[in-house]
Amino acid sequence: PDQIHEDLVMKRRPSCEGARHYKLADGRLKCRVCGQRFSWTSVWDSVRLPVATKQRLLELFVLGVPSYRQRFRSDASAAARERFYRLLRACCAQVEQLREPFEGAIECDETTFGGARHGPRGWGALGKVIVFGLIKRNGRVKAMPIPRHDRLSVMREIEAHTREGALYYTDEWQAYATLKLRGEHVMIRKEKGRPVGRDHINGIEGFWSYAKNWLYPYRGVPHQYFHLYLGEVCYRYNHRGEDLKPLIYKLLRQTSIQELKPTLVRKS
């Protein structure tokens, strides 16, 4: 299996981002920048499972095998598997949250995730999560749950994840009308579900298909952890041409469990 030498792990104190430190006799670290003592434990080391079990679970995670399909294996309990998978997803989600804002040509769109239920349809459907997404033409994607399908929620994410002066491609929803104040704006007009002319938002619509197909085998996703599953799907899509096992293993060794805790809890 791929290994990373311990010396390559950057142990930073979150409050000051200092990477230089002393190691104290009690096992803690002392920051050379601010002088504060702190503990640092990697996500990998925080999981109290045998190394061979963690390696096997990591490989199954990369292959997309859900935890419930491993219920007849006795090397780890269902709760331990779920917790380890949750940490893996949180590492992926954190990387996507910290990704630099997009610039250039960007496609924007929104959709809903969730199974069919009786009751209202459309954006107010019961049991649905509204998700907003951006994709850079021929590049990376970002997606995040939003509380409501309105202009304020969408523009908040656009301002946070794109740079001014970008070229935005969107559908005809009026919430996007103010994008012309932030950059160039191309509004895609459709007839019978097909774009009119050469402009399109096929990139982000293709990602919606990718994401929903990837999440389908999970047979439902807990609402409080949906943002982790969505972060995982974005990470997989953005690294779809690479071997994920060494990439995620490196994340587990270089990410502090203390630093990861805010990502595990959904903020909205």
Side-chain angles (χ1 to χ4, degrees), residues 59-66 68-69 85 89 92 113 206-221 228-237 240 244 248:
E59 185 171 356
L60 293 174
F61 176 83
V62 169
L63 295 175
V65 181
Y68 71 87
R69 291 184 177 174
Y85 270 33
R89 294 188 175 99
C92 296
F113 284 74
F207 172 73
W208 296 143
S209 178
Y210 173 92
K212 292 179 179 181
N213 276 285
W214 184 265
L215 294 177
Y216 180 79
Y218 289 99
R219 305 190 304 184
V221 173
L228 302 182
Y229 284 80
L230 188 61
E232 174 202 348
V233 174
C234 290
Y235 187 87
R236 288 180 182 274
Y237 185 88
R240 58 194 180 276
L244 290 182
I248 298 178

Side-chain angles (χ1 to χ4, degrees), residues 1-266:
D2 298 284
Q3 298 290 334
I4 297 177
H5 196 273
E6 184 69 22
D7 293 340
L8 297 181
V9 178
M10 298 297 291
K11 301 179 179 179
R12 299 178 180 271
R13 183 170 180 267
S15 60
C16 70
E17 292 298 318
R20 300 178 62 196
H21 55 267
Y22 298 100
K23 187 173 182 179
L24 303 177
D26 61 2
R28 293 184 299 167
L29 303 175
K30 183 176 180 180
C31 180
R32 291 174 182 256
V33 177
C34 64
Q36 294 295 318
R37 295 174 173 84
F38 65 100
S39 299
W40 197 100
T41 303
S42 70
V43 175
W44 179 264
D45 292 331
S46 72
V47 179
R48 297 180 179 179
L49 290 173
V51 173
T53 301
K54 291 189 286 187
Q55 291 283 2
R56 187 187 65 81
L57 289 175
L58 174 58
E59 185 171 356
L60 293 174
F61 176 83
V62 169
L63 295 175
V65 181
S67 177
Y68 71 87
R69 291 184 177 174
Q70 306 171 43
R71 60 189 181 276
F72 298 116
R73 292 183 174 270
S74 59
D75 53 353
S77 66
R81 288 196 305 269
E82 286 291 349
R83 180 179 183 275
F84 187 57
Y85 270 33
R86 196 175 304 133
L87 292 173
L88 292 173
R89 294 188 175 99
C91 287
C92 296
Q94 185 186 56
V95 169
E96 296 306 317
Q97 290 173 6
L98 298 177
R99 192 174 294 280
E100 288 291 321
F102 291 165
E103 56 187 9
I106 303 169
E107 300 177 18
C108 307
D109 195 27
E110 65 288 337
T111 188
T112 59
F113 284 74
R117 294 188 180 183
H118 295 291
R121 300 293 179 181
W123 297 108
L126 298 176
K128 297 281 190 177
V129 178
I130 303 173
V131 177
F132 175 71
L134 312 103
I135 191 169
K136 187 173 180 179
R137 282 281 173 90
N138 303 317
R140 308 291 190 181
V141 69
K142 287 188 177 186
M144 62 290 299
I146 56 177
R148 288 173 298 278
H149 186 247
D150 58 13
R151 187 187 69 83
L152 182 62
S153 299
V154 167
M155 291 305 300
R156 183 188 299 116
E157 301 300 340
I158 290 176
E159 291 172 2
H161 298 288
T162 68
R163 300 191 188 279
E164 291 189 18
L167 171 59
Y168 299 97
Y169 292 87
T170 73
D171 56 23
E172 296 180 281
W173 187 30
Q174 289 302 312
Y176 293 120
T178 56
L179 279 177
K180 60 185 178 182
L181 303 176
R182 186 173 177 82
E184 298 183 63
H185 181 206
V186 177
M187 188 175 294
I188 309 301
R189 186 167 60 89
K190 291 187 177 183
E191 291 183 0
K192 297 181 179 180
R194 295 180 176 273
V196 177
R198 301 184 64 179
D199 293 322
H200 62 83
I201 52 173
N202 293 344
I204 189 64
E205 290 178 343
F207 172 73
W208 296 143
S209 178
Y210 173 92
K212 292 179 179 181
N213 276 285
W214 184 265
L215 294 177
Y216 180 79
Y218 289 99
R219 305 190 304 184
V221 173
H223 190 269
Q224 68 269 33
Y225 299 128
F226 176 77
H227 65 295
L228 302 182
Y229 284 80
L230 188 61
E232 174 202 348
V233 174
C234 290
Y235 187 87
R236 288 180 182 274
Y237 185 88
N238 290 335
H239 296 277
R240 58 194 180 276
E242 304 173 70
D243 183 2
L244 290 182
K245 185 176 180 182
L247 293 179
I248 298 178
Y249 177 76
K250 183 177 180 180
L251 281 179
L252 295 173
R253 296 303 302 269
Q254 293 186 337
T255 304
S256 166
I257 188 64
Q258 293 86 356
E259 177 187 353
L260 195 65
K261 287 180 179 178
T263 307
L264 289 167
V265 181
R266 186 177 180 181

